[in-house]
Amino acid sequence: IDLHQAWHDLATCRAVMFVSRSAVQHFFAERPPDMAWPQPTRAWCTGPGTQRALISQGLSQASIDVPPATGPWDTEHLWPVVQAQVQPHDTIMLVRGTDISLGLQASPAVQTGVGRDWLAQQVLAQNGQIRWVVAYGRACPQWDAQRLRSAELASIDGSTWVFSSAQALDHLHQLLPSVSWQQAKAIATHSRIAQKATDMGFGQVMTCAPTPQAVAASLESMT
């Protein structure tokens, strides 16, 4: 459903899952001027960045469900927190992005979005219902020749790359498909991202919490 209709359907949903801060920003950008967030509807998210984005839009911290502060911040650790909320026939709205590089013919992925499918499966297994909402599009960036040369140099000069999404690694591979990353180091903010970096050939991969402090500490330890 489109964002305008999604706002009118909020009151019929047990909860709304926001997959990212971008999902929050784009969703609330389409809020009708006379419409407020319905109090009984919960907001779910997987990390403090998305939680802060929701609070900045006027939601109370008490109305937002997140994984424990100790992390990891992912859907596997969010589900135990919210599982009891989902009763048979309850509707969970899932707000996420879509990969516009798939092309307009790639239905239903373009129409329903990409990401957090595991959580949707848990809701469906519990006889809940999912309402998909696409809030924004994602695509591989277009780099000019200078940026491509800089990235290629950073694959061999001992640079450390920081990745907060697996899609960033996919895009890097699309942009530089023939580059070897054996001499490069990577910091990943989740184990799945770390595995993707390892599979892509990064010579040294470290996993850390998705906080500035943890990333800074990891960078220091890699130098």
Side-chain angles (χ1 to χ4, degrees), residues 169-192:
L169 283 155
D170 289 336
H171 287 166
L172 184 61
H173 180 67
Q174 290 175 43
L175 291 161
L176 296 168
S178 61
V179 165
S180 169
W181 300 97
Q182 187 60 41
Q183 298 181 59
K185 297 174 283 188
I187 294 172
T189 58
H190 193 278
S191 58
R192 280 193 293 265

Side-chain angles (χ1 to χ4, degrees), residues 15-193:
V16 182
M17 169 64 191
F18 293 93
V19 305
S20 66
R21 181 168 49 189
S22 292
V24 174
Q25 293 168 342
H26 288 278
F27 187 82
F28 279 86
E30 298 298 321
R31 175 167 53 181
D34 58 343
M35 187 166 290
W37 183 274
Q39 290 302 316
T41 302
R42 305 290 300 172
W44 298 353
C45 63
T46 57
T50 309
Q51 182 184 34
R52 286 193 295 269
L54 287 165
I55 292 172
S56 73
Q57 295 293 342
L59 273 68
S60 68
Q61 189 164 343
S63 67
I64 303 170
D65 296 300
V66 293
T70 54
W73 292 314
D74 55 24
T75 49
E76 288 86 345
H77 289 80
L78 171 65
W79 180 241
V81 176
V82 301
Q83 181 177 5
Q85 296 178 23
V86 183
Q87 301 301 313
H89 310 300
D90 278 350
T91 297
I92 306 300
M93 185 180 291
L94 202 153
V95 183
R96 58 185 184 172
T98 192
D99 188 350
I100 60 177
S101 64
L102 292 173
L104 296 178
Q105 302 304 315
S107 180
V110 168
Q111 297 178 14
T112 62
V114 178
R116 308 302 184 188
D117 289 333
W118 183 88
L119 183 69
Q121 292 167 5
Q122 309 316 304
V123 172
L124 294 172
Q126 206 152 297
N127 295 318
Q129 301 177 21
I130 293 291
R131 190 166 299 168
W132 307 102
V133 177
V134 174
Y136 61 100
R138 303 176 300 184
C140 185
Q142 302 298 311
W143 285 358
D144 59 21
Q146 181 178 357
R147 182 161 293 185
L148 288 170
R149 285 195 298 270
S150 296
E152 190 167 1
L153 177 62
S155 71
I156 59 174
D157 66 359
S159 293
T160 299
W161 294 67
V162 179
F163 297 101
S164 61
S165 78
Q167 188 179 49
L169 283 155
D170 289 336
H171 287 166
L172 184 61
H173 180 67
Q174 290 175 43
L175 291 161
L176 296 168
S178 61
V179 165
S180 169
W181 300 97
Q182 187 60 41
Q183 298 181 59
K185 297 174 283 188
I187 294 172
T189 58
H190 193 278
S191 58
R192 280 193 293 265
I193 304 171

